Every structure is written in structure tokens, then in C-alpha cells.
Amino acid sequence: KEKVEITKEQQALMKIITDAYNRHQIPQDVAKKLLQDQYSAEENFLLLTEMATSQVQVLVEFTKNIPGFLSLDREDQIALLKGSAVEAMFLRSAQVFSRKMPSGHTEVLEERIRKSGISEEFITPMFNFYKSIGELHMVQEEQALLTTVTILTPDRPYVKDQQAVERLQETMLDVLRKLCVLQHPQEPQYFARLLGRLTELRTLSHYHTEMLVSWRMNDHKFTPLLCEIWDV
Ligand SMILES: O=C1N(Cc2ccc(-c3nnn[nH]3)cc2)c2ccc(Br)cc2C12CCN(S(=O)(=O)c1cccs1)CC2
């Protein structure tokens, strides 16, 4: 049985990424607003839109801290951000959402999401996803690295130098794989389960694209940043 060991450089890389992941959080007042008094479907939708906008801002800031990201071709950096924005947002939302929230908060938030004009066909896979993320009990380093791996997906649309992105992603996958073995020694399949969540994320992202079309038809308003990153 080969001894799995995280090198000094990998340790440093993991610390940079995890610190950045924890440093960039959406302002809690935005999330708190969701918990306050009862709103109409439109107001709920508006709150989710406000929160999603903060999440995209947080994502951009976090991505700039990924070692090697800023050395990529500028246009490829944009292509990676646009290509991963929805997946990274859903991954972070699921991670925050499945964290131990004060009792009752999760139910209230679930209610608010249900009552925001999002159709049930999207709500079900969304909630299944965040429950499946919760069951993994990821440590924060795993959460940060999994989000990084999602952002560094080489086959996003319009990425020119896929090899450069692949090299970066492989560096992160290697650290994540070792971390999973060390953190979950009793579960050799844990790393594979984590990567399986990324497949579920892609499905959610397709649902999201379809929802955007129906939201547009019902004349839902989005912020300029969301219009830019979601191509609405
Ligand atoms: O809002 C969501 N939530 C609640 C949520 C998200 C994040 C934080 C939070 N707190 N601190 N840091 N993050 C708290 C509650 C949540 C939870 C789990 C999954 Br899976 C997904 C979601 C969405 C993500 C965005 N969409 S969306 O479809 O893109 C859309 C945009 C505009 C209108 S609808 C809705 C579902």
C-alpha cells in the first residue's frame, strides 16, 4: 500500500486556495434578508438574484487567487469564469446551505426558494444536489479544491489553450485526491464520489439554462453582472 503524502508545495497551494475560499463570502446581510419576513414570489426572486450577483462577485475574487490562473491567456480566464459561474455558484450554495444552519433556517430558505417562481422540476434536482453535497461532509480544503477543479475545466466553450488549463486542473486534482485519501481513509471511493458531484453540477447547469429562458419569458429582471455572465 503506497504511502500517500502531501508535499510542502501542495500544502502551500492548498492553504492559499482554502484561505481565499473562506475569505471571499457573500455579505451575510444579503443571506439574512432571505430569512426575514414573508415576501412575495417576485421579492423572493429579487433576493435570490441579489444573492446570485454577490456570489458571482465572490467567485471572480476567489478565482484571481488560484495560483496560475492569472498567468493563463486573458480571454481564456474569461471563458473559464463564464463557463463555470453557474456550477461554482451552485457548488458553493450547496456547501453553505448544507452547513449546520441555525435550526429552522434551512427550512425557511427552502421555502423561500420554493416560493420564488422557480419551477418544481428544477427545485427537486437542486435540493437533491445540496443534500448529496451535505452527505459528503467535506472539509473546507476539499470544498475549496473541488470548486477550483470546477473552475479549471479545460473543455469550456471558447477556451483556446486547453492544455494550459488541463495542467492547472491536474495539479489541483492531485492534491484533492491525496487529501481525500488522508481525510477519509475508511472510504477509498470518496475521491470518485466527489468527482461524481461535478457531473451532477453539469446537469443542474443545463436546468439553469432552461430556467433562464422561462424566467426571461415571464419578464424576470436580472442584474447587469448576471446578464453578462449568464448570457441573458
Ligand atoms: O439561491 C440559491 N440558494 C440559496 C442560498 C444560496 C447561497 C447562500 C449563501 N449564504 N452565504 N453564502 N452563500 C444562502 C442561500 C441555493 C442553495 C442551494 C442550491 Br444547490 C442552490 C441555491 C440557489 C442558487 C441560485 N439560484 S438561481 O437559480 O441561480 C437564481 C438566481 C436568481 C434567481 S433564481 C437559486 C438557488
Side-chain angles (χ1 to χ4, degrees):
K1 196 135 165 40
E2 125 265 13
K3 171 112 184 53
V4 167
E5 189 183 310
I6 292 181
T7 67
K8 283 260 162 294
E9 304 81 32
Q10 289 179 320
Q11 197 76 38
L13 185 67
M14 197 161 51
K15 183 166 175 12
I16 292 167
I17 288 171
T18 307
D19 290 351
Y21 194 73
N22 292 335
R23 194 165 57 248
H24 300 299
Q25 298 279 351
I26 73 167
Q28 278 318 298
D29 57 321
V30 176
K32 269 201 199 76
K33 267 199 227 162
L34 262 176
L35 291 167
Q36 264 147 24
D37 10 80
Q38 189 66 25
Y39 296 112
S40 70
E42 288 72 26
E43 284 161 336
N44 275 343
F45 192 87
L46 220 55
L47 273 171
L48 295 184
T49 303
E50 194 184 325
M51 206 155 59
T53 305
S54 298
Q55 297 241 27
V56 171
Q57 287 157 343
V58 159
L59 170 72
V60 173
E61 285 316 304
F62 167 67
T63 305
K64 282 154 62 175
N65 289 278
I66 297 172
F69 183 82
L70 294 178
S71 321
L72 293 171
D73 172 280
R74 297 271 315 146
E75 286 167 359
D76 284 356
Q77 293 177 28
I78 305 291
L80 292 177
L81 267 171
K82 277 176 72 81
S84 66
V86 172
E87 291 175 25
M89 178 176 67
F90 273 69
L91 184 53
R92 178 188 282 269
S93 298
Q95 286 165 349
V96 170
F97 213 56
S98 54
R99 220 173 275 163
K100 200 69 214 99
M101 281 198 182
S103 69
H105 280 196
T106 312
E107 291 70 27
V108 170
L109 277 175
E110 274 190 28
E111 207 38 46
R112 291 284 139 83
I113 296 174
R114 284 188 196 286
K115 289 210 169 33
S116 62
I118 299 178
S119 82
E120 200 54 35
E121 71 178 290
F122 187 38
I123 296 278
T124 310
M126 191 193 293
F127 283 7
N128 291 341
F129 177 70
Y130 96 72
K131 287 189 175 89
S132 71
I133 288 290
E135 284 155 12
L136 287 167
H137 302 296
M138 279 188 263
V139 297
Q140 55 176 1
E141 290 81 358
E142 288 165 340
Q143 294 188 13
L145 282 166
L146 190 63
T147 301
T148 304
V149 164
T150 306
I151 294 163
L152 298 174
T153 300
D155 63 343
R156 297 292 186 197
Y158 315 112
V159 171
K160 295 172 295 189
D161 189 353
Q162 293 203 4
Q163 274 72 26
V165 181
E166 208 156 339
R167 272 195 301 276
L168 265 184
Q169 190 191 46
E170 265 152 28
T171 307
M172 306 301 168
L173 280 167
D174 193 39
V175 188
L176 183 55
R177 182 180 50 76
K178 289 183 179 179
L179 186 66
C180 289
V181 169
L182 295 172
Q183 288 287 338
H184 310 267
Q186 81 289 354
E187 225 191 313
Q189 291 314 315
Y190 187 85
F191 178 57
R193 279 178 68 197
L194 273 199
L195 298 188
R197 300 281 79 84
L198 298 189
T199 313
E200 216 177 324
L201 260 183
R202 287 213 180 200
T203 310
L204 268 185
S205 171
H206 295 317
Y207 273 115
H208 186 271
T209 307
E210 282 164 35
M211 294 306 295
L212 280 178
V213 174
S214 69
W215 288 329
R216 293 297 284 161
M217 266 146 29
N218 304 342
D219 199 26
H220 278 98
K221 289 276 168 289
F222 292 100
T223 57
L225 179 60
L226 291 184
C227 291
E228 175 69 33
I229 204 117
W230 288 352
D231 282 332
V232 283

PDB file of all heavy atoms in Angstrom, residues 106-138:
ATOM      1  N   THR A 106     -32.700  26.452   7.428  1.00  0.00           N
ATOM      2  CA  THR A 106     -32.689  25.724   6.150  1.00  0.00           C
ATOM      3  C   THR A 106     -34.111  25.589   5.614  1.00  0.00           C
ATOM      4  O   THR A 106     -34.363  25.839   4.440  1.00  0.00           O
ATOM      5  CB  THR A 106     -32.079  24.318   6.349  1.00  0.00           C
ATOM      6  OG1 THR A 106     -30.868  24.467   7.092  1.00  0.00           O
ATOM      7  CG2 THR A 106     -31.764  23.667   5.019  1.00  0.00           C
ATOM      8  N   GLU A 107     -35.040  25.260   6.528  1.00  0.00           N
ATOM      9  CA  GLU A 107     -36.444  25.095   6.103  1.00  0.00           C
ATOM     10  C   GLU A 107     -36.972  26.414   5.547  1.00  0.00           C
ATOM     11  O   GLU A 107     -37.609  26.444   4.492  1.00  0.00           O
ATOM     12  CB  GLU A 107     -37.328  24.630   7.281  1.00  0.00           C
ATOM     13  CG  GLU A 107     -37.056  23.215   7.747  1.00  0.00           C
ATOM     14  CD  GLU A 107     -35.703  23.073   8.441  1.00  0.00           C
ATOM     15  OE1 GLU A 107     -35.228  24.081   8.995  1.00  0.00           O
ATOM     16  OE2 GLU A 107     -35.115  21.971   8.409  1.00  0.00           O
ATOM     17  N   VAL A 108     -36.679  27.520   6.265  1.00  0.00           N
ATOM     18  CA  VAL A 108     -37.192  28.832   5.803  1.00  0.00           C
ATOM     19  C   VAL A 108     -36.614  29.145   4.427  1.00  0.00           C
ATOM     20  O   VAL A 108     -37.315  29.519   3.501  1.00  0.00           O
ATOM     21  CB  VAL A 108     -36.800  29.958   6.805  1.00  0.00           C
ATOM     22  CG1 VAL A 108     -37.111  31.340   6.224  1.00  0.00           C
ATOM     23  CG2 VAL A 108     -37.537  29.754   8.120  1.00  0.00           C
ATOM     24  N   LEU A 109     -35.275  28.923   4.287  1.00  0.00           N
ATOM     25  CA  LEU A 109     -34.633  29.211   2.997  1.00  0.00           C
ATOM     26  C   LEU A 109     -35.217  28.329   1.905  1.00  0.00           C
ATOM     27  O   LEU A 109     -35.519  28.786   0.810  1.00  0.00           O
ATOM     28  CB  LEU A 109     -33.123  28.994   3.103  1.00  0.00           C
ATOM     29  CG  LEU A 109     -32.329  30.162   3.686  1.00  0.00           C
ATOM     30  CD1 LEU A 109     -30.865  29.782   3.859  1.00  0.00           C
ATOM     31  CD2 LEU A 109     -32.432  31.384   2.795  1.00  0.00           C
ATOM     32  N   GLU A 110     -35.440  27.055   2.235  1.00  0.00           N
ATOM     33  CA  GLU A 110     -36.022  26.135   1.234  1.00  0.00           C
ATOM     34  C   GLU A 110     -37.373  26.677   0.796  1.00  0.00           C
ATOM     35  O   GLU A 110     -37.675  26.737  -0.397  1.00  0.00           O
ATOM     36  CB  GLU A 110     -36.191  24.732   1.826  1.00  0.00           C
ATOM     37  CG  GLU A 110     -34.970  23.866   1.722  1.00  0.00           C
ATOM     38  CD  GLU A 110     -35.256  22.400   2.110  1.00  0.00           C
ATOM     39  OE1 GLU A 110     -36.406  21.948   1.955  1.00  0.00           O
ATOM     40  OE2 GLU A 110     -34.308  21.749   2.560  1.00  0.00           O
ATOM     41  N   GLU A 111     -38.155  27.133   1.783  1.00  0.00           N
ATOM     42  CA  GLU A 111     -39.495  27.674   1.498  1.00  0.00           C
ATOM     43  C   GLU A 111     -39.375  28.870   0.555  1.00  0.00           C
ATOM     44  O   GLU A 111     -40.091  28.979  -0.440  1.00  0.00           O
ATOM     45  CB  GLU A 111     -40.159  28.094   2.817  1.00  0.00           C
ATOM     46  CG  GLU A 111     -41.660  28.062   2.820  1.00  0.00           C
ATOM     47  CD  GLU A 111     -42.230  26.879   2.036  1.00  0.00           C
ATOM     48  OE1 GLU A 111     -41.747  25.747   2.209  1.00  0.00           O
ATOM     49  OE2 GLU A 111     -43.141  27.109   1.206  1.00  0.00           O
ATOM     50  N   ARG A 112     -38.422  29.759   0.875  1.00  0.00           N
ATOM     51  CA  ARG A 112     -38.230  30.987   0.066  1.00  0.00           C
ATOM     52  C   ARG A 112     -37.861  30.622  -1.362  1.00  0.00           C
ATOM     53  O   ARG A 112     -38.383  31.216  -2.315  1.00  0.00           O
ATOM     54  CB  ARG A 112     -37.119  31.866   0.676  1.00  0.00           C
ATOM     55  CG  ARG A 112     -37.485  32.483   1.999  1.00  0.00           C
ATOM     56  CD  ARG A 112     -38.428  33.658   1.881  1.00  0.00           C
ATOM     57  NE  ARG A 112     -39.452  33.665   2.914  1.00  0.00           N
ATOM     58  CZ  ARG A 112     -39.245  34.149   4.141  1.00  0.00           C
ATOM     59  NH1 ARG A 112     -38.066  34.629   4.471  1.00  0.00           N
ATOM     60  NH2 ARG A 112     -40.237  34.125   5.035  1.00  0.00           N
ATOM     61  N   ILE A 113     -37.013  29.598  -1.512  1.00  0.00           N
ATOM     62  CA  ILE A 113     -36.609  29.210  -2.874  1.00  0.00           C
ATOM     63  C   ILE A 113     -37.804  28.627  -3.606  1.00  0.00           C
ATOM     64  O   ILE A 113     -38.072  28.938  -4.764  1.00  0.00           O
ATOM     65  CB  ILE A 113     -35.450  28.187  -2.835  1.00  0.00           C
ATOM     66  CG1 ILE A 113     -34.212  28.827  -2.223  1.00  0.00           C
ATOM     67  CG2 ILE A 113     -35.112  27.712  -4.249  1.00  0.00           C
ATOM     68  CD1 ILE A 113     -33.077  27.853  -2.005  1.00  0.00           C
ATOM     69  N   ARG A 114     -38.592  27.795  -2.857  1.00  0.00           N
ATOM     70  CA  ARG A 114     -39.794  27.206  -3.489  1.00  0.00           C
ATOM     71  C   ARG A 114     -40.762  28.295  -3.935  1.00  0.00           C
ATOM     72  O   ARG A 114     -41.414  28.177  -4.962  1.00  0.00           O
ATOM     73  CB  ARG A 114     -40.507  26.267  -2.510  1.00  0.00           C
ATOM     74  CG  ARG A 114     -39.829  24.934  -2.319  1.00  0.00           C
ATOM     75  CD  ARG A 114     -40.679  23.969  -1.503  1.00  0.00           C
ATOM     76  NE  ARG A 114     -39.886  22.856  -1.025  1.00  0.00           N
ATOM     77  CZ  ARG A 114     -39.466  21.850  -1.803  1.00  0.00           C
ATOM     78  NH1 ARG A 114     -39.771  21.872  -3.089  1.00  0.00           N
ATOM     79  NH2 ARG A 114     -38.750  20.871  -1.304  1.00  0.00           N
ATOM     80  N   LYS A 115     -40.833  29.375  -3.110  1.00  0.00           N
ATOM     81  CA  LYS A 115     -41.803  30.434  -3.413  1.00  0.00           C
ATOM     82  C   LYS A 115     -41.118  31.591  -4.147  1.00  0.00           C
ATOM     83  O   LYS A 115     -41.298  32.742  -3.791  1.00  0.00           O
ATOM     84  CB  LYS A 115     -42.422  30.954  -2.104  1.00  0.00           C
ATOM     85  CG  LYS A 115     -43.374  29.969  -1.451  1.00  0.00           C
ATOM     86  CD  LYS A 115     -44.462  30.669  -0.665  1.00  0.00           C
ATOM     87  CE  LYS A 115     -45.551  29.691  -0.239  1.00  0.00           C
ATOM     88  NZ  LYS A 115     -45.030  28.341   0.036  1.00  0.00           N
ATOM     89  N   SER A 116     -40.259  31.259  -5.126  1.00  0.00           N
ATOM     90  CA  SER A 116     -39.603  32.389  -5.816  1.00  0.00           C
ATOM     91  C   SER A 116     -39.842  32.309  -7.319  1.00  0.00           C
ATOM     92  O   SER A 116     -39.176  32.960  -8.108  1.00  0.00           O
ATOM     93  CB  SER A 116     -38.097  32.333  -5.553  1.00  0.00           C
ATOM     94  OG  SER A 116     -37.603  31.127  -6.084  1.00  0.00           O
ATOM     95  N   GLY A 117     -40.765  31.446  -7.724  1.00  0.00           N
ATOM     96  CA  GLY A 117     -41.067  31.374  -9.155  1.00  0.00           C
ATOM     97  C   GLY A 117     -40.207  30.364  -9.865  1.00  0.00           C
ATOM     98  O   GLY A 117     -40.290  30.207 -11.072  1.00  0.00           O
ATOM     99  N   ILE A 118     -39.350  29.643  -9.101  1.00  0.00           N
ATOM    100  CA  ILE A 118     -38.544  28.584  -9.726  1.00  0.00           C
ATOM    101  C   ILE A 118     -39.437  27.357  -9.817  1.00  0.00           C
ATOM    102  O   ILE A 118     -40.074  26.980  -8.834  1.00  0.00           O
ATOM    103  CB  ILE A 118     -37.296  28.266  -8.875  1.00  0.00           C
ATOM    104  CG1 ILE A 118     -36.406  29.503  -8.752  1.00  0.00           C
ATOM    105  CG2 ILE A 118     -36.510  27.113  -9.491  1.00  0.00           C
ATOM    106  CD1 ILE A 118     -35.168  29.299  -7.887  1.00  0.00           C
ATOM    107  N   SER A 119     -39.495  26.725 -10.984  1.00  0.00           N
ATOM    108  CA  SER A 119     -40.444  25.607 -11.136  1.00  0.00           C
ATOM    109  C   SER A 119     -39.950  24.360 -10.399  1.00  0.00           C
ATOM    110  O   SER A 119     -38.736  24.148 -10.237  1.00  0.00           O
ATOM    111  CB  SER A 119     -40.659  25.301 -12.611  1.00  0.00           C
ATOM    112  OG  SER A 119     -39.605  24.488 -13.061  1.00  0.00           O
ATOM    113  N   GLU A 120     -40.880  23.549  -9.961  1.00  0.00           N
ATOM    114  CA  GLU A 120     -40.623  22.336  -9.164  1.00  0.00           C
ATOM    115  C   GLU A 120     -39.626  21.414  -9.878  1.00  0.00           C
ATOM    116  O   GLU A 120     -38.750  20.816  -9.239  1.00  0.00           O
ATOM    117  CB  GLU A 120     -41.955  21.609  -8.914  1.00  0.00           C
ATOM    118  CG  GLU A 120     -41.924  20.632  -7.726  1.00  0.00           C
ATOM    119  CD  GLU A 120     -41.450  21.265  -6.414  1.00  0.00           C
ATOM    120  OE1 GLU A 120     -41.751  22.455  -6.166  1.00  0.00           O
ATOM    121  OE2 GLU A 120     -40.735  20.570  -5.679  1.00  0.00           O
ATOM    122  N   GLU A 121     -39.706  21.376 -11.212  1.00  0.00           N
ATOM    123  CA  GLU A 121     -38.831  20.430 -11.943  1.00  0.00           C
ATOM    124  C   GLU A 121     -37.360  20.783 -11.738  1.00  0.00           C
ATOM    125  O   GLU A 121     -36.491  19.943 -11.886  1.00  0.00           O
ATOM    126  CB  GLU A 121     -39.177  20.426 -13.433  1.00  0.00           C
ATOM    127  CG  GLU A 121     -38.764  21.703 -14.129  1.00  0.00           C
ATOM    128  CD  GLU A 121     -39.064  21.707 -15.622  1.00  0.00           C
ATOM    129  OE1 GLU A 121     -38.394  20.971 -16.357  1.00  0.00           O
ATOM    130  OE2 GLU A 121     -39.980  22.455 -15.986  1.00  0.00           O
ATOM    131  N   PHE A 122     -37.085  22.043 -11.375  1.00  0.00           N
ATOM    132  CA  PHE A 122     -35.703  22.495 -11.126  1.00  0.00           C
ATOM    133  C   PHE A 122     -35.395  22.392  -9.633  1.00  0.00           C
ATOM    134  O   PHE A 122     -34.279  22.077  -9.231  1.00  0.00           O
ATOM    135  CB  PHE A 122     -35.566  23.937 -11.632  1.00  0.00           C
ATOM    136  CG  PHE A 122     -34.164  24.488 -11.594  1.00  0.00           C
ATOM    137  CD1 PHE A 122     -33.069  23.698 -11.906  1.00  0.00           C
ATOM    138  CD2 PHE A 122     -33.941  25.818 -11.255  1.00  0.00           C
ATOM    139  CE1 PHE A 122     -31.781  24.212 -11.884  1.00  0.00           C
ATOM    140  CE2 PHE A 122     -32.648  26.346 -11.229  1.00  0.00           C
ATOM    141  CZ  PHE A 122     -31.583  25.539 -11.538  1.00  0.00           C
ATOM    142  N   ILE A 123     -36.416  22.655  -8.810  1.00  0.00           N
ATOM    143  CA  ILE A 123     -36.225  22.633  -7.349  1.00  0.00           C
ATOM    144  C   ILE A 123     -35.772  21.250  -6.892  1.00  0.00           C
ATOM    145  O   ILE A 123     -34.832  21.117  -6.108  1.00  0.00           O
ATOM    146  CB  ILE A 123     -37.557  23.009  -6.635  1.00  0.00           C
ATOM    147  CG1 ILE A 123     -37.976  24.440  -6.956  1.00  0.00           C
ATOM    148  CG2 ILE A 123     -37.430  22.768  -5.134  1.00  0.00           C
ATOM    149  CD1 ILE A 123     -37.334  25.529  -6.161  1.00  0.00           C
ATOM    150  N   THR A 124     -36.422  20.196  -7.438  1.00  0.00           N
ATOM    151  CA  THR A 124     -36.113  18.826  -6.987  1.00  0.00           C
ATOM    152  C   THR A 124     -34.641  18.476  -7.197  1.00  0.00           C
ATOM    153  O   THR A 124     -33.958  18.136  -6.227  1.00  0.00           O
ATOM    154  CB  THR A 124     -37.043  17.817  -7.697  1.00  0.00           C
ATOM    155  OG1 THR A 124     -38.384  18.278  -7.559  1.00  0.00           O
ATOM    156  CG2 THR A 124     -36.909  16.436  -7.099  1.00  0.00           C
ATOM    157  N   PRO A 125     -34.117  18.566  -8.420  1.00  0.00           N
ATOM    158  CA  PRO A 125     -32.688  18.217  -8.589  1.00  0.00           C
ATOM    159  C   PRO A 125     -31.773  19.138  -7.783  1.00  0.00           C
ATOM    160  O   PRO A 125     -30.743  18.708  -7.261  1.00  0.00           O
ATOM    161  CB  PRO A 125     -32.450  18.360 -10.089  1.00  0.00           C
ATOM    162  CG  PRO A 125     -33.616  19.070 -10.646  1.00  0.00           C
ATOM    163  CD  PRO A 125     -34.751  18.909  -9.703  1.00  0.00           C
ATOM    164  N   MET A 126     -32.186  20.398  -7.609  1.00  0.00           N
ATOM    165  CA  MET A 126     -31.388  21.367  -6.850  1.00  0.00           C
ATOM    166  C   MET A 126     -31.259  20.917  -5.397  1.00  0.00           C
ATOM    167  O   MET A 126     -30.163  20.841  -4.841  1.00  0.00           O
ATOM    168  CB  MET A 126     -32.096  22.719  -6.920  1.00  0.00           C
ATOM    169  CG  MET A 126     -31.317  23.882  -6.422  1.00  0.00           C
ATOM    170  SD  MET A 126     -32.380  25.308  -6.225  1.00  0.00           S
ATOM    171  CE  MET A 126     -32.813  25.661  -7.909  1.00  0.00           C
ATOM    172  N   PHE A 127     -32.406  20.550  -4.818  1.00  0.00           N
ATOM    173  CA  PHE A 127     -32.386  20.121  -3.414  1.00  0.00           C
ATOM    174  C   PHE A 127     -31.704  18.769  -3.262  1.00  0.00           C
ATOM    175  O   PHE A 127     -30.995  18.529  -2.289  1.00  0.00           O
ATOM    176  CB  PHE A 127     -33.804  20.133  -2.831  1.00  0.00           C
ATOM    177  CG  PHE A 127     -34.307  21.516  -2.482  1.00  0.00           C
ATOM    178  CD1 PHE A 127     -33.566  22.653  -2.819  1.00  0.00           C
ATOM    179  CD2 PHE A 127     -35.513  21.711  -1.835  1.00  0.00           C
ATOM    180  CE1 PHE A 127     -34.014  23.938  -2.513  1.00  0.00           C
ATOM    181  CE2 PHE A 127     -35.984  22.993  -1.516  1.00  0.00           C
ATOM    182  CZ  PHE A 127     -35.232  24.101  -1.858  1.00  0.00           C
ATOM    183  N   ASN A 128     -31.903  17.883  -4.240  1.00  0.00           N
ATOM    184  CA  ASN A 128     -31.195  16.586  -4.176  1.00  0.00           C
ATOM    185  C   ASN A 128     -29.695  16.824  -4.183  1.00  0.00           C
ATOM    186  O   ASN A 128     -28.949  16.182  -3.451  1.00  0.00           O
ATOM    187  CB  ASN A 128     -31.576  15.699  -5.364  1.00  0.00           C
ATOM    188  CG  ASN A 128     -33.015  15.223  -5.284  1.00  0.00           C
ATOM    189  OD1 ASN A 128     -33.617  15.257  -4.206  1.00  0.00           O
ATOM    190  ND2 ASN A 128     -33.574  14.820  -6.412  1.00  0.00           N
ATOM    191  N   PHE A 129     -29.285  17.803  -4.987  1.00  0.00           N
ATOM    192  CA  PHE A 129     -27.848  18.087  -5.096  1.00  0.00           C
ATOM    193  C   PHE A 129     -27.285  18.584  -3.769  1.00  0.00           C
ATOM    194  O   PHE A 129     -26.271  18.066  -3.272  1.00  0.00           O
ATOM    195  CB  PHE A 129     -27.578  19.117  -6.200  1.00  0.00           C
ATOM    196  CG  PHE A 129     -26.117  19.488  -6.309  1.00  0.00           C
ATOM    197  CD1 PHE A 129     -25.196  18.570  -6.798  1.00  0.00           C
ATOM    198  CD2 PHE A 129     -25.665  20.730  -5.884  1.00  0.00           C
ATOM    199  CE1 PHE A 129     -23.847  18.892  -6.877  1.00  0.00           C
ATOM    200  CE2 PHE A 129     -24.316  21.053  -5.955  1.00  0.00           C
ATOM    201  CZ  PHE A 129     -23.415  20.135  -6.457  1.00  0.00           C
ATOM    202  N   TYR A 130     -27.954  19.547  -3.168  1.00  0.00           N
ATOM    203  CA  TYR A 130     -27.358  20.083  -1.929  1.00  0.00           C
ATOM    204  C   TYR A 130     -27.422  19.061  -0.807  1.00  0.00           C
ATOM    205  O   TYR A 130     -26.531  19.003   0.028  1.00  0.00           O
ATOM    206  CB  TYR A 130     -27.924  21.461  -1.559  1.00  0.00           C
ATOM    207  CG  TYR A 130     -29.037  21.520  -0.573  1.00  0.00           C
ATOM    208  CD1 TYR A 130     -28.817  21.256   0.778  1.00  0.00           C
ATOM    209  CD2 TYR A 130     -30.309  21.873  -0.967  1.00  0.00           C
ATOM    210  CE1 TYR A 130     -29.842  21.322   1.688  1.00  0.00           C
ATOM    211  CE2 TYR A 130     -31.339  21.957  -0.049  1.00  0.00           C
ATOM    212  CZ  TYR A 130     -31.111  21.677   1.269  1.00  0.00           C
ATOM    213  OH  TYR A 130     -32.134  21.743   2.172  1.00  0.00           O
ATOM    214  N   LYS A 131     -28.407  18.147  -0.845  1.00  0.00           N
ATOM    215  CA  LYS A 131     -28.417  17.081   0.171  1.00  0.00           C
ATOM    216  C   LYS A 131     -27.254  16.113  -0.086  1.00  0.00           C
ATOM    217  O   LYS A 131     -26.573  15.680   0.846  1.00  0.00           O
ATOM    218  CB  LYS A 131     -29.762  16.347   0.164  1.00  0.00           C
ATOM    219  CG  LYS A 131     -30.860  17.224   0.783  1.00  0.00           C
ATOM    220  CD  LYS A 131     -32.168  16.510   1.020  1.00  0.00           C
ATOM    221  CE  LYS A 131     -33.162  17.409   1.741  1.00  0.00           C
ATOM    222  NZ  LYS A 131     -33.991  18.229   0.802  1.00  0.00           N
ATOM    223  N   SER A 132     -26.979  15.845  -1.380  1.00  0.00           N
ATOM    224  CA  SER A 132     -25.884  14.901  -1.678  1.00  0.00           C
ATOM    225  C   SER A 132     -24.534  15.521  -1.320  1.00  0.00           C
ATOM    226  O   SER A 132     -23.609  14.843  -0.908  1.00  0.00           O
ATOM    227  CB  SER A 132     -25.917  14.501  -3.159  1.00  0.00           C
ATOM    228  OG  SER A 132     -25.509  15.581  -3.965  1.00  0.00           O
ATOM    229  N   ILE A 133     -24.441  16.845  -1.439  1.00  0.00           N
ATOM    230  CA  ILE A 133     -23.206  17.540  -1.027  1.00  0.00           C
ATOM    231  C   ILE A 133     -23.087  17.457   0.496  1.00  0.00           C
ATOM    232  O   ILE A 133     -22.018  17.158   1.044  1.00  0.00           O
ATOM    233  CB  ILE A 133     -23.225  19.015  -1.499  1.00  0.00           C
ATOM    234  CG1 ILE A 133     -23.023  19.102  -3.015  1.00  0.00           C
ATOM    235  CG2 ILE A 133     -22.171  19.861  -0.759  1.00  0.00           C
ATOM    236  CD1 ILE A 133     -21.623  18.742  -3.502  1.00  0.00           C
ATOM    237  N   GLY A 134     -24.205  17.692   1.184  1.00  0.00           N
ATOM    238  CA  GLY A 134     -24.192  17.661   2.657  1.00  0.00           C
ATOM    239  C   GLY A 134     -23.733  16.314   3.190  1.00  0.00           C
ATOM    240  O   GLY A 134     -22.979  16.232   4.154  1.00  0.00           O
ATOM    241  N   GLU A 135     -24.183  15.233   2.504  1.00  0.00           N
ATOM    242  CA  GLU A 135     -23.839  13.877   2.976  1.00  0.00           C
ATOM    243  C   GLU A 135     -22.345  13.594   2.896  1.00  0.00           C
ATOM    244  O   GLU A 135     -21.835  12.718   3.583  1.00  0.00           O
ATOM    245  CB  GLU A 135     -24.597  12.828   2.142  1.00  0.00           C
ATOM    246  CG  GLU A 135     -26.074  12.693   2.518  1.00  0.00           C
ATOM    247  CD  GLU A 135     -26.908  12.152   1.359  1.00  0.00           C
ATOM    248  OE1 GLU A 135     -26.326  11.684   0.363  1.00  0.00           O
ATOM    249  OE2 GLU A 135     -28.140  12.225   1.465  1.00  0.00           O
ATOM    250  N   LEU A 136     -21.640  14.374   2.041  1.00  0.00           N
ATOM    251  CA  LEU A 136     -20.194  14.110   1.865  1.00  0.00           C
ATOM    252  C   LEU A 136     -19.383  14.620   3.041  1.00  0.00           C
ATOM    253  O   LEU A 136     -18.269  14.179   3.279  1.00  0.00           O
ATOM    254  CB  LEU A 136     -19.699  14.768   0.566  1.00  0.00           C
ATOM    255  CG  LEU A 136     -20.130  14.089  -0.728  1.00  0.00           C
ATOM    256  CD1 LEU A 136     -19.847  14.996  -1.911  1.00  0.00           C
ATOM    257  CD2 LEU A 136     -19.419  12.761  -0.910  1.00  0.00           C
ATOM    258  N   HIS A 137     -19.953  15.563   3.821  1.00  0.00           N
ATOM    259  CA  HIS A 137     -19.222  16.143   4.970  1.00  0.00           C
ATOM    260  C   HIS A 137     -17.806  16.522   4.561  1.00  0.00           C
ATOM    261  O   HIS A 137     -16.815  16.081   5.157  1.00  0.00           O
ATOM    262  CB  HIS A 137     -19.176  15.126   6.128  1.00  0.00           C
ATOM    263  CG  HIS A 137     -20.540  14.694   6.567  1.00  0.00           C
ATOM    264  ND1 HIS A 137     -21.445  15.582   7.120  1.00  0.00           N
ATOM    265  CD2 HIS A 137     -21.183  13.501   6.489  1.00  0.00           C
ATOM    266  CE1 HIS A 137     -22.577  14.934   7.389  1.00  0.00           C
ATOM    267  NE2 HIS A 137     -22.437  13.667   7.007  1.00  0.00           N
ATOM    268  N   MET A 138     -17.706  17.315   3.486  1.00  0.00           N
ATOM    269  CA  MET A 138     -16.383  17.751   3.005  1.00  0.00           C
ATOM    270  C   MET A 138     -15.733  18.684   4.032  1.00  0.00           C
ATOM    271  O   MET A 138     -16.411  19.508   4.627  1.00  0.00           O
ATOM    272  CB  MET A 138     -16.544  18.540   1.700  1.00  0.00           C
ATOM    273  CG  MET A 138     -16.697  17.708   0.464  1.00  0.00           C
ATOM    274  SD  MET A 138     -16.625  18.776  -0.992  1.00  0.00           S
ATOM    275  CE  MET A 138     -18.340  19.009  -1.300  1.00  0.00           C
TER     276      MET A 138
END
